Amino acid sequence: MMKGIFCSLLVGLTGVISQLQAAASEKPNIVWIVSEDNGARWLGAYGNPAKPTPTLDKMATEGFLFTNTYASVPVCAPQRSTWITGINAISMGTQGMRSAFEVPGHIKYYPEIFQEIGYYTSKGDDAKSDYNLRGPRGRNANDTWNDSKKIVWENLKKNQPFIHVFNTHATHESRSFGGFKPEKDKVEKAQDLASYHPDLPGMHFVYDKYNKCMMKLDGEVAGWLKDLEDNGLAENTIVIYSSDHGGVLPRSKRYLYNSGTHCPLIVRIPQKFKHLYPASKPGMKVDELVSFTDFPKTWLSLGGATSEQVKQMQGRVFLGKNKEAKPEYVFSFRNRMDDRMDMVRSVRDDKYLYIRNYMPFVPNGQFLPYTYNMEATRAWKQYFLDGKTNEIESRFFGDHRESDEFYLYNEDYDNVKNVALAHKSDIQKMRRALREWQLKIFDSGFISEYDMVKELRKHELTAYEYVRKPELYPLAEYIEMADKSLEYDPANISLFVDSLDDKYIGKRHWSVLGLLNLSFAGKLKANAKVLSALESFINRKDESTLQQAYASWILIREGKQSAGLAKIRAIAKDGNQSRTMINMLDWIQFKYVKNVAIEYFVDGEMGGVDSVRVLASVLIENGSPELADLTEQSEKLRHLIKAKEGRIKKLKAGKEKKYSPERVQTEIKKTQGELDKYEVERKAILEKMRSFISQF
């Protein structure tokens, strides 16, 4: 009898083992749901008192909620560049927003690797293709999916295993735009108002509006999960939910604070794949540090990709049988956002957040036109201009930042208590870790994007290739020079002056910025040797125009206004320098550049609407009431002109189907007349603005 019982147990145990082995060898389907622009704390599961996400909150109880997941970069296109390759954008030169640098042909996009291991790949219904890069000979990452446009459940059922990516625009920043009408828009005060946001009706309006966006997202997720269930796929499918970075109110998206990088990550794993659980049972939280750079490598590992197949990727596997060791740190980066230049890096462990501002003279709250489509940004800025903000609320719009920011982010989630002075040894340790990481991944940000383009053309290389050639890009030396530029130590003046003649463009770059920082610290004291060297530098042929603009700024600050402004004017006449010009005209004290700013607004060749809007903001905020009024009139007319041009284009394209050919021609003639009128009016306004240019 005992023998029979033993045999039965043995047979049963063998069956269980066989089932486990089968599950382990079977490849799971993967559904990845990505929302846009929402940080972790917009979800109820992460503490939002409004609780707008019941479906996602329930998914967290059925799966695993990761509490410490951070975006690599807090804006969409460079983050997708990082995701599609598994390589940090700053390792490929694709960190600038909408930069579209080319990457080498040997770099694979992750859908291609999934196909190598037998997966069907698709994305939709609302899929993103904004990957911020391009392959050789026009190779497009969006073309590497089996289906890049839509969800077809029958195709997924027939083509298992699959990975399907849903991307929803329900929470995109633009969904929070729109005017606030106090008499109509009655909203309750936000229960979780950030400490840096002023208590304003327009601010609460956007909090409320965005919570409604989160509710819409949650409804979409509920529909997709139901479709997965109805199609009999839920038991075979790992469902992952994340945002694409943090956000969305001002001082979140685009910034390396918690609000911009701390993101939701929820993973639901079916029972049959329980061997992949990151904790003992569903409903548990996972507290280890996770970087967004880890995502593609981890998803591929879950699908059975070998280490050889993912060797290009810079993240780590944080789920499954091939899980790699927990990291001590995760890193994030920020560079150009739209037309506004910057360079910031961050490193965090499970307690501290260290932010390194390589361009401390750049204000956090510098005018970025797209963000001013949001009532919260407009209301906050006006409140600041009216002198009503307190010290914490004012800081965002200050002229400068500290080079080092250091936060105990578990205690200070809003990152408003910079305790850098009390943590010098911790900063040194984290700075060393940052340097090691930058060298490991070949941080391409140590020469400007403007100069990188010129270097790549000269050497016929991609940025990925260029930064891996120390004879062209001596990164260790660049980091050392950048660190010296942030020491504010007059003992470095001789080094900086000598390095203005260095053969390496990056050394010249950081030498100029080192001198600029010393000027801001009041430590140049119109040094004759420095000023002579800078005057020679700005007149040098074939030198970086951007670096010459920085050098001109120093000359203006140190009493050589004539030489500095002459160079700024010369740069303004180059129709290819609008990005350099609008940044300089915004950063340099208005009393020095007023004439140049007016001239450039009236006559300059600016590359796009954003450049015009930035310069308009400079004139409105800093000019006399009369000049500000004329600038506002000009902008209103510019918008009307653009609208009429769009109307004519639409009519000529035959998009007004209800109109007869005769009616179309009548409408074109009418609209052209209105357009001509507005152009004449704007020309007259611009001539009036010209009269505000002071005579020398």
PDB file of all heavy atoms in Angstrom, residues 15 50 55 94 141 169 235 237 278 351 412 601:
ATOM      1  N   GLY A  15       4.250  15.133 -12.739  1.00  0.00           N
ATOM      2  CA  GLY A  15       3.325  15.948 -13.537  1.00  0.00           C
ATOM      3  C   GLY A  15       3.482  17.424 -13.258  1.00  0.00           C
ATOM      4  O   GLY A  15       3.484  18.254 -14.177  1.00  0.00           O
ATOM      5  N   ALA A  50      -7.017  61.810  -5.417  1.00  0.00           N
ATOM      6  CA  ALA A  50      -8.198  61.865  -6.285  1.00  0.00           C
ATOM      7  C   ALA A  50      -8.588  60.477  -6.804  1.00  0.00           C
ATOM      8  O   ALA A  50      -9.700  60.291  -7.284  1.00  0.00           O
ATOM      9  CB  ALA A  50      -7.941  62.811  -7.453  1.00  0.00           C
ATOM     10  N   THR A  55      -8.774  51.020 -12.458  1.00  0.00           N
ATOM     11  CA  THR A  55      -8.349  49.830 -13.213  1.00  0.00           C
ATOM     12  C   THR A  55      -6.868  49.548 -12.994  1.00  0.00           C
ATOM     13  O   THR A  55      -6.470  48.401 -12.718  1.00  0.00           O
ATOM     14  CB  THR A  55      -8.630  50.026 -14.708  1.00  0.00           C
ATOM     15  OG1 THR A  55     -10.022  50.253 -14.908  1.00  0.00           O
ATOM     16  CG2 THR A  55      -8.197  48.802 -15.503  1.00  0.00           C
ATOM     17  N   THR A  94      21.410  61.305 -29.622  1.00  0.00           N
ATOM     18  CA  THR A  94      19.988  61.541 -29.890  1.00  0.00           C
ATOM     19  C   THR A  94      19.251  62.122 -28.686  1.00  0.00           C
ATOM     20  O   THR A  94      18.044  61.985 -28.566  1.00  0.00           O
ATOM     21  CB  THR A  94      19.301  60.231 -30.331  1.00  0.00           C
ATOM     22  OG1 THR A  94      19.437  59.247 -29.297  1.00  0.00           O
ATOM     23  CG2 THR A  94      19.916  59.697 -31.603  1.00  0.00           C
ATOM     24  N   ALA A 141      12.877  53.107 -37.890  1.00  0.00           N
ATOM     25  CA  ALA A 141      12.536  52.163 -36.821  1.00  0.00           C
ATOM     26  C   ALA A 141      11.066  51.776 -36.864  1.00  0.00           C
ATOM     27  O   ALA A 141      10.696  50.653 -36.499  1.00  0.00           O
ATOM     28  CB  ALA A 141      12.878  52.777 -35.462  1.00  0.00           C
ATOM     29  N   HIS A 169      -2.606  58.633 -26.031  1.00  0.00           N
ATOM     30  CA  HIS A 169      -2.387  60.079 -25.946  1.00  0.00           C
ATOM     31  C   HIS A 169      -3.298  60.730 -24.907  1.00  0.00           C
ATOM     32  O   HIS A 169      -3.294  61.961 -24.769  1.00  0.00           O
ATOM     33  CB  HIS A 169      -2.651  60.739 -27.300  1.00  0.00           C
ATOM     34  CG  HIS A 169      -1.679  60.356 -28.372  1.00  0.00           C
ATOM     35  ND1 HIS A 169      -0.324  60.431 -28.193  1.00  0.00           N
ATOM     36  CD2 HIS A 169      -1.861  59.890 -29.638  1.00  0.00           C
ATOM     37  CE1 HIS A 169       0.294  60.044 -29.314  1.00  0.00           C
ATOM     38  NE2 HIS A 169      -0.617  59.703 -30.200  1.00  0.00           N
ATOM     39  N   GLU A 235      -4.430  34.537 -20.027  1.00  0.00           N
ATOM     40  CA  GLU A 235      -3.664  33.542 -19.276  1.00  0.00           C
ATOM     41  C   GLU A 235      -2.266  33.313 -19.843  1.00  0.00           C
ATOM     42  O   GLU A 235      -1.435  32.671 -19.202  1.00  0.00           O
ATOM     43  CB  GLU A 235      -4.426  32.213 -19.241  1.00  0.00           C
ATOM     44  CG  GLU A 235      -5.729  32.271 -18.468  1.00  0.00           C
ATOM     45  CD  GLU A 235      -5.520  32.750 -17.038  1.00  0.00           C
ATOM     46  OE1 GLU A 235      -4.593  32.237 -16.376  1.00  0.00           O
ATOM     47  OE2 GLU A 235      -6.266  33.637 -16.590  1.00  0.00           O
ATOM     48  N   THR A 237      -0.437  36.001 -21.242  1.00  0.00           N
ATOM     49  CA  THR A 237       0.121  37.314 -21.560  1.00  0.00           C
ATOM     50  C   THR A 237       0.565  38.074 -20.317  1.00  0.00           C
ATOM     51  O   THR A 237      -0.220  38.282 -19.382  1.00  0.00           O
ATOM     52  CB  THR A 237      -0.911  38.164 -22.333  1.00  0.00           C
ATOM     53  OG1 THR A 237      -1.327  37.452 -23.512  1.00  0.00           O
ATOM     54  CG2 THR A 237      -0.323  39.514 -22.728  1.00  0.00           C
ATOM     55  N   PRO A 278       8.656  38.765  -9.586  1.00  0.00           N
ATOM     56  CA  PRO A 278       9.755  39.481  -8.928  1.00  0.00           C
ATOM     57  C   PRO A 278       9.647  39.470  -7.403  1.00  0.00           C
ATOM     58  O   PRO A 278      10.550  39.953  -6.715  1.00  0.00           O
ATOM     59  CB  PRO A 278       9.594  40.905  -9.467  1.00  0.00           C
ATOM     60  CG  PRO A 278       8.132  41.040  -9.705  1.00  0.00           C
ATOM     61  CD  PRO A 278       7.661  39.689 -10.147  1.00  0.00           C
ATOM     62  N   LYS A 351      18.232  56.574  -1.674  1.00  0.00           N
ATOM     63  CA  LYS A 351      18.034  57.599  -0.657  1.00  0.00           C
ATOM     64  C   LYS A 351      18.269  59.012  -1.180  1.00  0.00           C
ATOM     65  O   LYS A 351      17.525  59.937  -0.857  1.00  0.00           O
ATOM     66  CB  LYS A 351      18.995  57.315   0.507  1.00  0.00           C
ATOM     67  CG  LYS A 351      18.861  58.220   1.711  1.00  0.00           C
ATOM     68  CD  LYS A 351      19.840  57.768   2.802  1.00  0.00           C
ATOM     69  CE  LYS A 351      19.785  58.641   4.038  1.00  0.00           C
ATOM     70  NZ  LYS A 351      20.772  58.220   5.074  1.00  0.00           N
ATOM     71  N   ASP A 412      11.806  64.451   0.925  1.00  0.00           N
ATOM     72  CA  ASP A 412      11.537  65.712   0.224  1.00  0.00           C
ATOM     73  C   ASP A 412      11.179  65.370  -1.218  1.00  0.00           C
ATOM     74  O   ASP A 412      11.944  65.599  -2.146  1.00  0.00           O
ATOM     75  CB  ASP A 412      12.788  66.603   0.313  1.00  0.00           C
ATOM     76  CG  ASP A 412      12.704  67.869  -0.529  1.00  0.00           C
ATOM     77  OD1 ASP A 412      11.581  68.322  -0.794  1.00  0.00           O
ATOM     78  OD2 ASP A 412      13.777  68.389  -0.917  1.00  0.00           O
ATOM     79  N   PHE A 601      14.051  90.625 -34.006  1.00  0.00           N
ATOM     80  CA  PHE A 601      12.613  90.346 -34.059  1.00  0.00           C
ATOM     81  C   PHE A 601      12.007  90.938 -35.333  1.00  0.00           C
ATOM     82  O   PHE A 601      11.165  90.313 -35.982  1.00  0.00           O
ATOM     83  CB  PHE A 601      11.913  90.938 -32.837  1.00  0.00           C
ATOM     84  CG  PHE A 601      10.460  90.565 -32.725  1.00  0.00           C
ATOM     85  CD1 PHE A 601      10.071  89.343 -32.207  1.00  0.00           C
ATOM     86  CD2 PHE A 601       9.471  91.446 -33.147  1.00  0.00           C
ATOM     87  CE1 PHE A 601       8.731  88.997 -32.109  1.00  0.00           C
ATOM     88  CE2 PHE A 601       8.125  91.113 -33.046  1.00  0.00           C
ATOM     89  CZ  PHE A 601       7.757  89.884 -32.525  1.00  0.00           C
TER      90      PHE A 601
END
